[in-house]
Amino acid sequence: MTPRTPAPTRAHAVLPSGPGSLTGLEAASPFTGRHIGPDTDEQAKMLAAIGYGSLDELTDAAVPAAIRALAGFELPAARTEAEVLAELRELASRNTVLTSMIGLGYHGTFTPPVITRNVLENPAWYTAYTPYQPEISQGRLEALLNFQTVVTDLTGLDVAGASLLDESTAAAEAMTLARRAGRAKSDVFVVDAATLPQTVAVVRTRAEALGIEVVVADTADGLPEGGCFGVLLQYPGADGLVRDLTPVIEAAHARGALVAVAADLLALTVLRAPGAMGADIAVGTTQRFGVPMAFGGPHAGYLAVREKLTRSMPGRLVGVSVDADGAPAYRLALQTREQHIRREKATSNICTAQVLLAVMAGMYAVYHGPDGLASIARRTHRYAAVLAGGLRAGGVEVVHGDFFDTVTARVPGRAEQVLAAARAAGVNLRPVDADHVAITCDETTLRAHVEAVWGAFGVSGDVAALDAETADALPSGLLRDTEFLTHPVFHTHRSETDMLRYLRRLADKDYALDRGMIPLGSCTMKLNATVEMEPITWPEFANMHPFAPVDQAAGYLELIDGLADSLARITGYAKVSLQPNAGSQGELAGLLAVRAYHHANGDTARDVCLIPSSAHGTNAASAVMAGMRVVVVKTGENGDVDLADLHARIEQYRDTLAVLMVTYPSTHGVFEEGIEQVCAAIHEAGGQVYVDGANLNALVGLAQPGGAIGADVSHLNLHKTFCIPHGGGGPGVGPVAVRAHLAPYLPNHPLQPTAGPETGVGPISAAPWGSAAILPIPWTYLRLMGPEGLKEATQVAVLGANYIAKRLAPHFPVLYTGPNDLVAHECIIDLRGITKATGVSVDDVAKRLIDYGFHAPTMSFPVPGTLMIEPTESENLHEIDRFCDAMIAIKGEIDRVASGDLPADDNPLANAPHTAALLAGEWAHAYTREEAVFPAGVVPAEKYWPPVRRIDGAQGDRNLVCSCPPIEAYGAN
Ligand SMILES: *Cc1c(COP(=O)(O)O)cnc(C)c1O
């Protein structure tokens, strides 16, 4: 093939000036050229290097003709950044943000501006990846350890994880944890009637598929008759009541059941901890620790347990270990519980969690300290007590005498009227039923709000006078009598100057996209443009309660509907639900839809989920959560699904086949041929096809899973292909997209009927539209790119991966290729031969890349002993070449080990990464100090210094420490 120079498409073309040239200016879409790294010249060079003449020629050769989308999809043409911001402002203005006193797990809070600007709005935090490479993630790992310490101290339990997705899914995880770890032989899970309604609903959705019977009961007078394996209690109750849970916890333990308490962390600063009352598990949200309500999310959920349950915990856990010099260092602990290792035997399907929000909540506690948090809690409580006092004085019945922040008032037949009057005064209250209204105070409550509420009830009062005469409503026997947050970190960053420097110090330890390329296959670490991030902190988006009356959220709903519609057009599906707040949750929602569809057809025996052995770990874990049996399909020599084995399994499970779950392009980064025949064979046997759409960055504009590929359902990861930043391990959005026949079984929500079909499977997340506040990011991205720009982005992503494959192939074997020896948007290089011959492992190469100033590619997934590289369209040729040069230089170092020039146990790879500390002192290695710290291509003045040397993960798993270690532990430093 003769390379030819492609016609210039856009980039950096200088527009003519003079009469009539405005037309050209209006047509220009400069953002595409900002998002896509390689400009026209660079693209031409890359195309020439791999022997193609144009992007179209390349993708025609790479993508099998049978699935190529013949016509594009209809989306509005690209707009400029200024135009899109103006459109967003207009949408935002259509949201009416009232003062929320709705409560139910979502509360007004003041985000300290130092945290907003230096965490939430700081790419050093929000563009980081999940801390799998701990040596370059010490900053966020420390921040997460702070978070875990906050949760364990306040709940009075031993171990807390580094965030779950929200309170309701955390409660559902607690249910399955209790079933796994408990002794009781029962299928009953008791949920107290005072549990948040959305939590009850999420727990029911999860329980149904697992054959768990949920019994909702008032446990004030004891547990219902019969056995149960677990109990869930809310503390304080949704109705505001604070009561001693000790008796019911003891009764549950007497039956061999485990008890989970969904607890409000702010209340726990003044109330006795669940752990002190005997609870085994505590769950909840950390939203009110400085994270805006955000119309439902994202926020960090939490889960804490007694020590004996640690190994059964779901989700990520940060622990303390040591590095090669024996210095303390943080890393993810007990990963063998997780889906990426344990697959269908994992403790949960959680992958992406809520790291950025957990960092914010932890920092809120660091900034306020224990006394600051307790005074926020006491102030919140005083307002509630005064509010109740005023209602009582005005003759309104207040249902409970003991409460923290929530007052339930009885107004026979008048609830609607009170709610309307409050709305007219600018306040949303919570409708309980026709006779009851609940009012929740928070950190942002003011005298004027209390007076407005009184007015809505037709009473009046004097806040100051009532404050003087009203006693606290916290039960004296349940006051907290133990210290919390005694660690110095919660006492030393209390001035803004100190906080600013602490945040900077931590961020400086980490490698994020603001430093360089993160070429992680399957993770699509592309540009998260500033303009896309801007709207998420606008008050019209940030300060909305998820259960506010929908007519106050007109702008949000238009944005949500528009985004769902665009995603349906892009993927070729009929309907999209944006509720799942991670890819794993989209998988569960999609599989539950398949299950419900089969059941509706009377096919209740269809419970087999076929999954290729190369699949992402979440697939198998999600299938188990959807009540399915996982049957593994072999992978052939060439990396494709083994078709003979697949057909054998189809025959074997013809009558019980529910679904095939397959990733496309494959997890091997290849456009497999014949996917449409695979889909047809599954359909012929009565099964459904689930295409894991996390790799959509290779498909947008080129092929549609719901189109010619022929799948029935997919989830997409908006935090990969659609520019939501990875946040150091979350947030994410994992929409589920379906063909029309599955649309009746999408998620819905008990508190917002417009959020899903009446016939739906129930909620999959706590909030009706999941992590609504980050949906402006993909919405903005689609508007800025337009259909042409989106297609070009995909084409350049494919170009980048093929360019890297071509450059590295002479040095490292490229494991799999598809049509015409091309890869899709990522490529796998095989180090197994090298490891066998030299002892140099993928780990060594990954850690050595740190010395060269790079984040490692994905290690040993989907094939052990390999590296999977995904450049994305956003990296320009200079950065891609810098990476290839580093890899080639590393191969040179490996060759020196192979030749015996460098000893196998003392070489720059085995000892990587090298820290700044190694610049001082004795140097007794077989290679030079310069080679160690300033390898080829590294400019000393621009060097990224890892703060620790290689971390011994196993040591930390053997000696588990999951909260802030005493300061003396750092003596070595
Ligand atoms: C990232 C990914 C997932 C899981 O998505 P999360 O948002 O992390 O839960 C599933 N499948 C594939 C192929 C992925 O790359």
Side-chain angles (χ1 to χ4, degrees):
M1 202 167 297
T2 6
R4 61 179 162 79
T5 314
T9 47
R10 43 153 189 98
H12 312 258
V14 179
L15 288 159
S17 67
S21 60
L22 261 183
T23 322
L25 281 176
E26 272 152 11
S29 169
F31 182 77
T32 314
R34 304 288 182 201
H35 176 85
I36 297 176
D39 65 14
T40 314
D41 289 346
E42 290 184 340
Q43 289 178 24
K45 277 192 202 130
M46 293 161 77
L47 282 162
I50 61 171
Y52 286 87
S54 70
L55 288 175
D56 284 340
E57 214 178 272
L58 168 64
T59 44
D60 282 355
V63 185
I67 62 156
R68 235 178 287 141
L70 296 178
F73 41 77
E74 274 181 42
L75 283 186
R79 310 258 156 80
T80 65
E81 294 178 59
E83 286 168 339
V84 175
L85 279 177
E87 238 185 292
L88 271 165
R89 287 262 176 228
E90 201 280 316
L91 275 179
S93 75
R94 278 192 267 146
N95 289 339
T96 315
V97 180
L98 301 193
T99 298
S100 176
M101 299 182 87
I102 297 173
L104 288 180
Y106 302 93
H107 304 275
T109 175
F110 291 121
T111 314
V114 66
I115 294 176
T116 303
R117 177 152 293 190
N118 297 289
V119 179
L120 181 58
E121 298 178 342
N122 182 352
W125 289 96
Y126 69 71
T127 68
Y129 179 64
T130 304
Y132 282 135
Q133 296 289 338
E135 294 84 358
I136 56 178
S137 313
Q138 291 294 298
R140 57 193 184 278
L141 285 164
E142 177 167 332
L144 290 171
L145 207 65
N146 293 346
F147 173 85
Q148 292 180 175
T149 305
V150 170
V151 174
T152 48
D153 276 16
L154 287 173
T155 58
L157 289 167
D158 304 314
V159 182
S163 87
L164 288 182
L165 292 162
D166 57 39
E167 172 160 343
S168 300
T169 56
E173 297 284 355
M175 170 177 73
T176 45
L177 165 54
R179 200 189 203 193
R180 264 196 309 281
R183 316 182 262 116
K185 294 268 162 289
S186 163
D187 288 330
V188 172
F189 187 61
V190 173
V191 177
D192 185 74
T195 304
L196 301 179
Q198 69 271 23
T199 296
V200 178
V202 168
V203 165
R204 280 191 193 284
T205 305
R206 294 261 192 115
E208 199 278 332
L210 297 172
I212 294 171
E213 186 190 340
V214 174
V215 174
V216 177
D218 182 353
T219 63
D221 300 318
L223 290 170
E225 292 296 304
C228 61
F229 69 83
V231 176
L232 175 65
L233 306 167
Q234 186 92 39
Y235 180 71
D239 54 359
L241 177 65
V242 177
R243 64 173 168 114
D244 188 0
L245 303 177
T246 315
V248 66
I249 291 174
E250 282 172 0
H253 286 165
R255 294 189 198 179
L258 293 179
V259 179
V261 173
D264 174 5
L265 289 188
L266 189 64
L268 295 186
T269 64
V270 292
L271 290 176
R272 180 172 304 158
M277 294 191 285
D280 306 287
I281 308 166
V283 295
T285 173
T286 58
Q287 180 268 320
R288 75 191 311 180
F289 276 29
V291 182
M293 286 185 283
F295 203 40
H299 320 118
Y302 77 80
L303 185 143
V305 294
R306 294 206 177 280
E307 196 180 350
K308 63 175 195 261
L309 296 176
T310 310
R311 276 158 213 275
S312 305
M313 275 177 84
R316 305 240 141 98
L317 179 64
V318 174
V320 184
S321 192
V322 293
D323 77 357
D325 291 334
Y330 311 116
R331 93 283 175 244
L332 294 174
L334 302 183
Q335 290 194 56
T336 47
R337 298 167 298 115
E338 292 191 40
Q339 44 73 29
H340 63 102
I341 295 176
R342 269 290 198 81
R343 311 179 79 82
E344 69 268 22
K345 296 195 183 65
T347 53
S348 145
N349 66 344
I350 301 265
C351 180
T352 292
Q354 301 280 20
V355 167
L356 188 68
L357 303 311
V359 169
M360 288 179 71
M363 288 303 168
Y364 178 90
V366 167
Y367 199 43
H368 286 298
D371 42 335
L373 293 177
S375 67
I376 292 168
R378 280 195 295 271
R379 186 175 173 284
T380 300
H381 176 65
R382 275 318 293 163
Y383 271 116
V386 167
L387 192 147
L391 289 176
R392 278 203 197 95
V396 176
E397 184 187 337
V398 171
V399 177
H400 299 300
D402 293 333
F403 55 82
F404 167 62
D405 63 355
T406 298
V407 177
T408 301
R410 204 170 113 74
V411 279
R414 283 208 303 135
E416 248 332 300
Q417 191 193 326
V418 170
L419 290 165
R423 275 201 296 278
V427 180
N428 285 325
L429 306 180
R430 178 191 161 207
V432 179
D433 57 31
D435 305 327
H436 295 88
V437 172
I439 311 115
T440 300
C441 297
D442 60 45
E443 183 186 2
T444 67
T445 302
L446 300 170
R447 283 157 198 250
H449 300 139
V450 172
E451 287 159 1
V453 172
W454 284 336
F457 280 88
V459 309
S460 62
D462 178 340
V463 172
L466 276 160
D467 186 28
E469 66 199 37
T470 308
D472 275 353
L474 299 171
S476 55
L478 285 181
L479 295 180
R480 185 174 189 106
D481 53 11
T482 50
E483 285 193 304
F484 60 97
L485 306 188
T486 54
H487 191 274
V489 76
F490 300 104
H491 299 265
T492 44
H493 309 293
R494 306 287 284 281
S495 77
E496 184 165 327
T497 299
D498 280 332
M499 187 65 183
L500 182 68
R501 290 177 187 159
Y502 181 51
L503 290 173
R504 172 63 190 260
R505 202 159 65 238
L506 292 189
D508 276 354
K509 292 183 175 180
D510 286 15
Y511 188 100
L513 279 176
D514 63 336
R515 285 191 192 271
M517 182 176 185
I518 304 185
L520 281 161
S522 204
C523 299
T524 313
M525 300 294 289
K526 56 161 59 172
L527 171 73
N528 316 116
T530 313
V531 62
E532 293 154 6
M533 290 297 289
E534 260 189 355
I536 65 169
T537 46
W538 294 354
E540 298 88 340
F541 290 128
N543 295 343
M544 196 88 185
H545 191 287
F547 309 145
V550 273
D551 60 0
Q552 295 172 17
Y556 247 129
L557 293 195
E558 186 169 329
L559 184 143
I560 289 167
D561 287 348
L563 177 61
D565 178 66
S566 298
L567 294 173
R569 286 167 193 272
I570 288 169
T571 53
Y573 284 109
K575 193 86 187 155
V576 169
S577 166
L578 291 162
Q579 193 185 94
N581 48 14
S584 60
Q585 308 304 295
E587 291 177 13
L588 177 59
L591 292 172
L592 289 178
V594 166
R595 177 185 146 88
Y597 170 76
H598 284 313
H599 283 221
N601 292 339
D603 282 336
T604 48
R606 292 197 176 271
D607 66 349
V608 167
C609 181
L610 298 180
I611 301 184
S613 58
S614 64
H616 196 272
T618 49
N619 291 185
S622 299
V624 169
M625 289 169 66
M628 294 183 179
R629 283 187 288 155
V630 174
V631 173
V632 176
V633 180
K634 285 188 197 142
T635 301
E637 279 286 296
N638 63 353
D640 291 359
V641 174
D642 181 333
L643 289 181
D645 190 53
L646 177 69
H647 287 290
R649 300 285 160 232
I650 293 176
E651 280 320 309
Q652 187 180 352
Y653 297 103
R654 190 161 262 284
D655 301 328
T656 51
L657 177 61
V659 63
L660 165 73
M661 213 174 178
V662 59
T663 303
Y664 200 85
S666 72
T667 32
H668 295 137
V670 168
F671 289 109
E672 283 174 41
E673 290 181 280
I675 179 74
E676 65 299 345
Q677 281 107 298
V678 167
C679 293
I682 293 286
H683 285 146
E684 190 274 322
Q688 296 279 293
V689 178
Y690 188 117
V691 163
D692 179 331
N695 287 351
L696 213 72
N697 214 46
L699 294 183
V700 175
L702 299 182
Q704 299 180 309
I709 292 176
D712 302 285
V713 46
S714 291
H715 77 272
L716 321 176
N717 274 0
L718 301 191
H719 47 302
K720 292 176 182 172
T721 310
F722 296 94
C723 301
I724 291 176
H726 213 83
V733 177
V736 56
V738 293
R739 273 191 207 281
H741 65 279
L742 295 178
Y745 312 109
L746 285 173
N748 55 14
H749 199 278
L751 299 173
Q752 290 284 24
T754 51
E758 216 182 310
T759 48
V761 293
I764 213 84
S765 307
W769 292 281
S771 292
I774 50 177
L775 297 179
I777 301 168
W779 188 94
T780 304
Y781 174 62
L782 297 181
R783 269 292 204 275
L784 290 164
M785 296 292 280
E788 297 299 318
L790 290 170
K791 179 179 169 191
E792 188 187 338
T794 308
Q795 291 182 307
V796 175
V798 172
L799 172 62
N802 279 288
Y803 177 82
I804 290 178
K806 184 87 175 182
R807 273 209 67 191
L808 295 187
H811 311 277
F812 302 92
V814 173
L815 194 52
Y816 302 117
T817 52
N820 299 304
D821 261 351
L822 293 166
V823 298
H825 64 309
E826 58 197 8
C827 69
I828 299 180
I829 57 171
D830 193 350
L831 272 81
R832 288 172 296 187
I834 287 172
T835 304
K836 209 163 161 210
T838 65
V840 174
S841 66
V842 268
D843 241 53
D844 295 334
V845 173
K847 303 308 176 193
R848 184 61 174 151
L849 273 167
I850 298 171
D851 289 334
Y852 281 84
F854 284 99
H855 191 294
T858 299
M859 265 169 47
S860 292
F861 171 79
V863 185
T866 65
L867 291 172
M868 181 156 63
I869 306 162
E870 178 180 0
T872 83
E873 70 276 14
S874 298
E875 296 298 342
N876 67 21
L877 182 56
H878 173 77
E879 185 71 356
I880 289 176
D881 275 336
R882 193 172 73 91
F883 173 75
C884 292
D885 292 343
M887 287 298 294
I888 293 165
I890 287 173
K891 179 62 180 14
E893 294 172 352
I894 295 172
D895 290 343
R896 288 178 59 198
V897 177
S899 70
D901 181 24
L902 284 169
D905 59 352
D906 184 24
N907 60 66
L909 293 130
N911 294 333
H914 297 84
T915 57
L918 296 175
L919 291 175
E922 289 285 302
W923 183 261
H925 293 290
Y927 52 103
T928 69
R929 224 192 284 260
E930 284 72 16
E931 285 171 313
V933 298
F934 301 127
V938 173
V939 181
E942 292 170 13
K943 163 98 180 160
Y944 164 73
W945 292 102
V948 294
R949 297 193 60 203
R950 200 174 306 187
I951 296 173
D952 181 347
Q955 199 276 349
D957 278 357
R958 281 194 305 273
N959 312 284
L960 198 64
V961 176
C962 301
S963 56
C964 299
I967 232 63
E968 304 81 66
Y970 297 86
N973 273 4

PDB file of all heavy atoms in Angstrom, residues 14 29 323 443-444 465 567 590 684 807:
ATOM      1  N   VAL A  14      -5.225  27.986   9.028  1.00  0.00           N
ATOM      2  CA  VAL A  14      -5.414  29.413   9.277  1.00  0.00           C
ATOM      3  C   VAL A  14      -6.573  29.893   8.412  1.00  0.00           C
ATOM      4  O   VAL A  14      -6.575  29.720   7.200  1.00  0.00           O
ATOM      5  CB  VAL A  14      -4.132  30.203   8.945  1.00  0.00           C
ATOM      6  CG1 VAL A  14      -4.345  31.691   9.184  1.00  0.00           C
ATOM      7  CG2 VAL A  14      -2.976  29.680   9.800  1.00  0.00           C
ATOM      8  N   SER A  29     -14.714  24.171  14.012  1.00  0.00           N
ATOM      9  CA  SER A  29     -14.995  23.511  15.272  1.00  0.00           C
ATOM     10  C   SER A  29     -13.686  23.296  15.985  1.00  0.00           C
ATOM     11  O   SER A  29     -13.146  22.222  16.015  1.00  0.00           O
ATOM     12  CB  SER A  29     -15.680  22.180  15.017  1.00  0.00           C
ATOM     13  OG  SER A  29     -15.714  21.454  16.219  1.00  0.00           O
ATOM     14  N   ASP A 323       8.003  -0.193  51.651  1.00  0.00           N
ATOM     15  CA  ASP A 323       8.666  -0.258  50.350  1.00  0.00           C
ATOM     16  C   ASP A 323      10.005  -0.983  50.481  1.00  0.00           C
ATOM     17  O   ASP A 323      10.328  -1.521  51.556  1.00  0.00           O
ATOM     18  CB  ASP A 323       8.793   1.137  49.721  1.00  0.00           C
ATOM     19  CG  ASP A 323       9.916   1.984  50.317  1.00  0.00           C
ATOM     20  OD1 ASP A 323      10.583   1.522  51.281  1.00  0.00           O
ATOM     21  OD2 ASP A 323      10.133   3.103  49.817  1.00  0.00           O
ATOM     22  N   GLU A 443     -26.145  21.529  57.829  1.00  0.00           N
ATOM     23  CA  GLU A 443     -25.101  22.526  58.063  1.00  0.00           C
ATOM     24  C   GLU A 443     -25.471  23.901  57.516  1.00  0.00           C
ATOM     25  O   GLU A 443     -25.005  24.925  58.012  1.00  0.00           O
ATOM     26  CB  GLU A 443     -23.794  22.032  57.386  1.00  0.00           C
ATOM     27  CG  GLU A 443     -22.594  22.925  57.598  1.00  0.00           C
ATOM     28  CD  GLU A 443     -21.366  22.490  56.796  1.00  0.00           C
ATOM     29  OE1 GLU A 443     -21.464  21.499  56.036  1.00  0.00           O
ATOM     30  OE2 GLU A 443     -20.315  23.135  56.934  1.00  0.00           O
ATOM     31  N   THR A 444     -26.308  23.941  56.487  1.00  0.00           N
ATOM     32  CA  THR A 444     -26.597  25.221  55.830  1.00  0.00           C
ATOM     33  C   THR A 444     -27.868  25.890  56.356  1.00  0.00           C
ATOM     34  O   THR A 444     -28.246  26.955  55.883  1.00  0.00           O
ATOM     35  CB  THR A 444     -26.753  25.030  54.300  1.00  0.00           C
ATOM     36  OG1 THR A 444     -27.929  24.246  54.052  1.00  0.00           O
ATOM     37  CG2 THR A 444     -25.558  24.313  53.698  1.00  0.00           C
ATOM     38  N   ALA A 465     -35.558  33.146  71.388  1.00  0.00           N
ATOM     39  CA  ALA A 465     -36.246  32.810  72.641  1.00  0.00           C
ATOM     40  C   ALA A 465     -36.401  31.293  72.766  1.00  0.00           C
ATOM     41  O   ALA A 465     -36.136  30.699  73.827  1.00  0.00           O
ATOM     42  CB  ALA A 465     -37.613  33.475  72.685  1.00  0.00           C
ATOM     43  N   LEU A 567     -26.901   8.823  23.278  1.00  0.00           N
ATOM     44  CA  LEU A 567     -26.192   7.551  23.477  1.00  0.00           C
ATOM     45  C   LEU A 567     -26.915   6.417  22.758  1.00  0.00           C
ATOM     46  O   LEU A 567     -26.288   5.494  22.228  1.00  0.00           O
ATOM     47  CB  LEU A 567     -26.041   7.247  24.971  1.00  0.00           C
ATOM     48  CG  LEU A 567     -25.140   8.227  25.740  1.00  0.00           C
ATOM     49  CD1 LEU A 567     -25.192   7.934  27.237  1.00  0.00           C
ATOM     50  CD2 LEU A 567     -23.696   8.175  25.243  1.00  0.00           C
ATOM     51  N   GLY A 590     -28.305  -4.547  33.251  1.00  0.00           N
ATOM     52  CA  GLY A 590     -28.539  -5.193  31.960  1.00  0.00           C
ATOM     53  C   GLY A 590     -28.893  -6.667  32.136  1.00  0.00           C
ATOM     54  O   GLY A 590     -29.807  -7.189  31.475  1.00  0.00           O
ATOM     55  N   GLU A 684     -30.629 -17.891  18.168  1.00  0.00           N
ATOM     56  CA  GLU A 684     -31.296 -19.100  17.664  1.00  0.00           C
ATOM     57  C   GLU A 684     -31.576 -20.066  18.821  1.00  0.00           C
ATOM     58  O   GLU A 684     -32.598 -20.745  18.845  1.00  0.00           O
ATOM     59  CB  GLU A 684     -30.397 -19.734  16.580  1.00  0.00           C
ATOM     60  CG  GLU A 684     -31.043 -20.849  15.792  1.00  0.00           C
ATOM     61  CD  GLU A 684     -30.892 -22.173  16.508  1.00  0.00           C
ATOM     62  OE1 GLU A 684     -29.825 -22.409  17.107  1.00  0.00           O
ATOM     63  OE2 GLU A 684     -31.864 -22.962  16.478  1.00  0.00           O
ATOM     64  N   ARG A 807       5.466   0.291  16.070  1.00  0.00           N
ATOM     65  CA  ARG A 807       6.776   0.720  16.574  1.00  0.00           C
ATOM     66  C   ARG A 807       7.364  -0.273  17.564  1.00  0.00           C
ATOM     67  O   ARG A 807       8.576  -0.448  17.633  1.00  0.00           O
ATOM     68  CB  ARG A 807       6.671   2.105  17.243  1.00  0.00           C
ATOM     69  CG  ARG A 807       6.826   3.265  16.263  1.00  0.00           C
ATOM     70  CD  ARG A 807       7.408   4.505  16.941  1.00  0.00           C
ATOM     71  NE  ARG A 807       8.789   4.337  17.380  1.00  0.00           N
ATOM     72  CZ  ARG A 807       9.433   5.179  18.168  1.00  0.00           C
ATOM     73  NH1 ARG A 807       8.817   6.256  18.625  1.00  0.00           N
ATOM     74  NH2 ARG A 807      10.682   4.965  18.535  1.00  0.00           N
TER      75      ARG A 807
END
